[in-house]
Amino acid sequence: MRTSALRLLNVADTAEALALVDGDPVTNAFVGARLHAVGLNGWRLGAEVWGWAPDGVLRSLCYAGANLIPVAADAEAVEAYAERARASGRRCSSIVGPAEAVLDLWARLEPSWGPARELRPCQPLLATSRPSPVLADPLVRRVRPDELDVLLPASLAMYTEEIGVSPLAGDGGALYRARVAELVAAGRAFARIEDGSVVFKAEVGAVVPGACQVQGVWVRPDRRGEGLSVAGMAAVVDAALRDIAPVVSLYVNDFNAPARAAYARVGFEQVGTFASVLF
């Protein structure tokens, strides 16, 4: 790397990197979960991690894998990451993270990487540490491993609706199926299943000391408007607080008014703002 303050992190940097991401477990849930799971072994991580240490102390890092995710990045760090990303070329399917850093990074990368398929500049980051004030749906439960094929069609529909492309592209969905199966096996996939069909689902996708992050919230289209998302999320929040972490978080598109209203009823409050650049 050309900038002396920027270096490729390795296993010797693991403790310092973990201390950095754990300083804000809600904001850094995704990267923190990956680092806690496999450390900074690049082969196991499936990504590079760039570190910004202008005074010899790690001040920021950037996860560079399927997603490009800046962590605790000020303008100097963002410029260093942009220089490195321009040199290596685009390998990620998205840039995601705190809005200020992501939008600054994209402004620097767009001339060489652009255009993006979609820019989502304002995604409220929400969190709660209290049981839901609304009644939880008693029919929402953990998905059993033998129900993977029941859950998968709902997961595929959610992903395609949310991201705008199908996860079946490329490898036929093998990696996506494996990820869903991993969450089911870990007891972090929740659903309401009626007559062999999922009508509500959500997963706890990332877990770190102190927090977890919910993803993949979905209600079957013909059942929307019945309050399933509110009661279902209440069940997920209560289970996650009881069994997984003391803080539950998620981020949502600012234009998704129904979802934002549902999360507010469940007790979530905004603690930050994310942005995403989708390719």
Side-chain angles (χ1 to χ4, degrees):
M1 297 186 181
R2 292 174 56 194
T3 305
S4 60
L6 187 69
R7 69 175 191 267
L8 181 64
L9 302 185
N10 59 42
V11 291
D13 301 301
T14 300
E16 200 172 8
L18 286 174
L20 182 64
V21 295
D22 287 347
D24 188 348
V26 170
T27 300
N28 304 326
F30 178 85
V31 176
R34 297 292 296 141
L35 296 187
H36 277 284
V38 300
L40 283 168
N41 182 312
W43 181 83
R44 296 183 66 199
L45 192 61
E48 292 183 344
V49 179
W50 310 331
W52 174 249
D55 52 3
V57 177
L58 187 65
R59 303 296 183 188
S60 171
L61 60 81
C62 187
Y63 179 94
N67 307 300
L68 191 65
I69 308 174
V71 171
D74 61 13
E76 285 187 315
V78 167
E79 172 53 34
Y81 300 148
E83 181 181 354
R84 174 60 177 163
R86 283 192 297 265
S88 60
R90 184 176 70 81
R91 303 174 184 175
C92 60
S93 60
S94 70
I95 308 172
V96 62
E100 184 176 0
V102 166
L103 296 176
D104 187 9
L105 184 57
W106 178 232
R108 299 170 190 270
L109 290 174
E110 186 176 13
S112 56
W113 278 21
R117 179 171 57 84
E118 186 175 353
L119 174 63
R120 299 178 180 178
C122 183
Q123 297 175 302
L125 176 64
L126 312 176
T128 182
S129 58
R130 301 185 301 274
S132 174
V134 300
L135 187 64
D137 186 344
L139 298 182
V140 170
R141 57 174 176 80
R142 284 176 165 84
V143 178
R144 301 189 307 266
D146 66 314
E147 295 175 312
L148 176 60
D149 288 331
V150 174
L151 178 63
L152 201 59
S155 298
L156 293 170
M158 177 281 306
Y159 187 99
T160 304
E161 180 179 344
E162 172 64 20
I163 304 301
V165 296
S166 171
L168 299 178
D171 66 354
L175 285 175
Y176 186 73
R177 179 187 176 92
R179 176 55 177 161
V180 175
E182 178 185 354
L183 293 173
V184 170
R188 288 163 33 200
F190 298 83
R192 174 171 172 160
I193 301 173
E194 296 179 3
D195 300 321
S197 176
V198 172
V199 297
F200 165 87
K201 75 162 203 73
E203 296 89 40
V204 177
V207 178
V208 294
C212 64
Q213 187 176 90
V214 174
Q215 64 179 38
V217 181
W218 181 84
V219 176
R220 201 172 70 191
D222 66 322
R223 299 293 298 274
R224 292 173 186 176
E226 299 180 15
L228 290 171
S229 61
V230 173
M233 279 301 299
V236 173
V237 165
D238 290 351
L241 290 176
R242 182 179 62 246
D243 302 330
I244 300 176
V247 177
V248 181
S249 71
L250 55 80
Y251 61 98
V252 60
N253 293 315
D254 64 333
F255 54 77
N256 191 342
R260 294 185 66 181
Y263 298 145
R265 288 185 60 191
V266 174
F268 283 95
E269 297 179 351
Q270 186 167 354
V271 296
T273 304
F274 271 18
S276 296
V277 184
L278 306 179
F279 301 106

